[in-house]
Amino acid sequence: MTVEIRGKLYEGKAKIVYATDSPKLIVQFFKDDATAFNAQKRGTIAGKGVVNNRVSARLFELLGRRGVPTHYVATLSEREMLCRRLDIIRIEVIVRNVIAGSLATRTGVEEGGPVVPPVVEFYYKSDELGDPMINDDHVRLLGLATPPELRWIRRTALRVNGVLRPHLARRRLRLVDFKLEFGRAGRRLVLGDEISPDTCRLWDARTRERLDKDRFRRDLGAVEEAYQEVYRRLVGAGGPGR
Ligand code: UDP
């Protein structure tokens, strides 16, 4: 696939988005920069961009094969992913299978217990407000999505969980929780953004060792090694490609 990369559209904490010569396509460039706690903590994780690009590509391909529409089009290089251009819906959708993170702090329930059935949460994507949790009524009030769109988003987020959880379990990874973002491509809703150790909590199935961004957030050490381990389990030791 040959596309020409044009100007920068947007630079976020972990990715840069570029326009292309096609109005329907953009390129996501994955950086090694990491932030946490609403960008109060900053750092770099060497090789993270490569891991997140490749891992996301694999998971988007899998979801696509299972009938979940995603923005993924092709992998252009180690750090560049060609994607359909979406009008992003300003909601972060979180799915939880295990108590962790803000669910533990909000409820006072100890980390590690199962969440059955999974819990879906919505957060308002707003840096100024610090991404507050919102409910269906707030989504309607703010006009972020229509009630049928939100029902589709919720159903699709649970379907994504249903595909990813066993896939990761076969690779000895427990999918504790994860964040998804959706957007509109014309009138269709499509899964966007990334699915990576930056946006998922992944625990080793046996040892419960954290193999995700919590190692950076909580200064647990061996951050790079954790990302490489996820790469090995999901993409394989063969390096770039299949
Ligand atoms: N998450 C994310 N981006 C955010 C907030 C959360 O990717 O801005 C992911 C996070 O990696 C975890 C899940 O969503 O897998 C749930 O995060 P939580 O609400 O527990 O917040 P945290 O403890 O990360 O502040």
Side-chain angles (χ1 to χ4, degrees), residues 12-123:
K13 295 159 205 155
K15 293 191 291 292
I16 306 173
V17 177
Y18 293 98
T20 70
D21 52 355
S22 161
K24 293 201 167 165
L25 298 172
I26 56 100
V27 169
Q28 294 198 121
F29 178 93
F30 289 75
K31 301 191 281 185
D32 286 350
D33 298 344
T35 63
F37 312 117
N38 206 13
Q40 286 171 47
K41 183 182 167 101
R42 290 169 185 276
T44 34
I45 302 170
K48 172 172 85 78
V50 178
V51 172
N52 287 358
N53 183 32
R54 296 277 181 203
V55 166
S56 292
R58 280 298 169 92
L59 299 180
F60 281 140
E61 282 168 354
L62 170 69
L63 289 167
R65 288 197 298 273
R66 300 290 195 84
V68 175
T70 83
H71 72 157
Y72 176 78
V73 176
T75 298
L76 298 181
S77 74
E78 276 202 318
R79 290 175 183 271
E80 292 169 310
M81 179 187 286
L82 184 66
C83 300
R84 293 171 65 183
R85 187 174 192 157
L86 303 183
D87 184 10
I88 283 286
I89 294 173
R90 289 179 66 193
I91 302 173
E92 296 195 341
V93 182
I94 296 197
V95 181
R96 302 179 178 275
N97 298 303
V98 177
I99 307 261
S102 69
L103 183 61
T105 38
R106 178 174 299 107
T107 59
V109 181
E110 207 187 318
E111 262 199 354
V115 177
V116 185
V119 160
V120 179
E121 296 172 348
F122 302 122
Y123 291 82

